[in-house]
Amino acid sequence: MREDTKMKKAPVPLWIVGSVGIDDIKTRTDDRKNLLGGSVPYSTVAASYFVKPGAVGVVGTDFPAVFERRWRRFGINLDGLQREAGETFRWACAYDDNMIERTTLDTRLGVFAAFKPVLPETYKAAPFVLLGNIQPELQMHVLKQASGAKFVALDTMNLWIDTALPALKRVMRKVDLFTVNDGEARQLTGKWNLLDCAAAIRKMGPRYVIIKKGEHGALLVSEKGVFIVPAYPVRKLTDPTGAGDSYAGAMMGYLAKAGNVTDRLMREALVHASAIASFGVEGFSIERFEKLTAAMIRARVRELTKMMTV
Ligand code: AMP
């Protein structure tokens, strides 16, 4: 949605491409409909605690204006959000009682089916890029427009490992960091041990590999070795949807603010990502983030760091 404005906008330091959708989510205790969802809202909102990121995605004419207003309030640049005639991507799921396993009840692609991401001029020079979970061919298509990209992170899902593996492998060769959950890492490499998975993934291209293990935290593997980041133990898990997206968004936001990537910064970024993602799952959609302050994040980072210290 391009805004008509005469003012020249500041170039974005980070942009994120992925899905933008409307979700229906059922848990043991709640049944929520018509929530702002998709990987881009979660990841841009999480990144917004550090920088003003750009969002690249598509919505239909039914995308509620109130969603756009709530999203914009985080200072996110929506120049890369295309509005096409048709319906917004919709997704419905139900969580098992363990709040880990979930069943997809419905996926309606709508305008997402014909999505061809176009990078706005103000995004092209951005040094940091997060290729959120969309078809690998589209990830490649949009990456080719990113002339200023210096550090590119890639996320994916089991669907693309199953159905678009050659294209996914082509994108993996072009990125610096790959983030994946444990099941997907095993599926992708055919190996069981997660360190073996990470080594195999690093051979496919990315220097950094993050293997997420849900409530058990994540492993970062780089040439410097392994870093273990615990997940913050939340007391009130409300909706795990989008946790991986907010994790990746917060991490990239932190690095984009630093303007550099070192092992030390990456470790700091992951501790912040873990803290921010833990807030996200305390509410549906981006609701918990709407009440989150910088001081609350700092306190949780301190608490998490204390929990990690011997
Ligand atoms: P996650 O919990 O990290 O898997 O992300 C959840 C978000 O991904 C939801 O808000 C959905 O709208 C979105 N989503 C679900 N299925 C897909 C899909 N096939 N492609 C892109 N996004 C999806």
Side-chain angles (χ1 to χ4, degrees), residues 19 23 37-39 42 89 91 102 112 133 157 159 240-242 244-245:
S19 55
D23 291 345
S39 56
Y42 283 111
F89 172 71
W91 182 72
R102 69 186 184 198
F112 195 43
N133 169 30
M157 70 187 287
L159 176 67
T241 309
D245 305 310

Side-chain angles (χ1 to χ4, degrees), residues 19-27 30-38 42 88-96 101-110 157 239 241 284:
S19 55
V20 183
I22 302 176
D23 291 345
D24 293 344
I25 293 171
K26 238 189 230 160
T27 65
D30 295 278
D31 185 358
R32 296 284 305 270
K33 298 213 179 331
N34 297 317
L35 298 162
L36 172 59
Y42 283 111
T88 301
F89 172 71
R90 279 187 169 268
W91 182 72
C93 90
Y95 280 91
D96 288 359
E101 261 75 54
R102 69 186 184 198
T103 308
T104 294
L105 303 174
D106 192 20
T107 302
R108 276 181 271 161
L109 292 177
M157 70 187 287
D239 174 19
T241 309
F284 283 92

Side-chain angles (χ1 to χ4, degrees), residues 16-20 38-41 55-58 112 115 130-134:
I16 301 174
V17 64
S19 55
V20 183
S39 56
V40 185
V56 180
V58 65
F112 195 43
F115 180 40
L130 171 55
L131 302 173
N133 169 30
I134 49 170

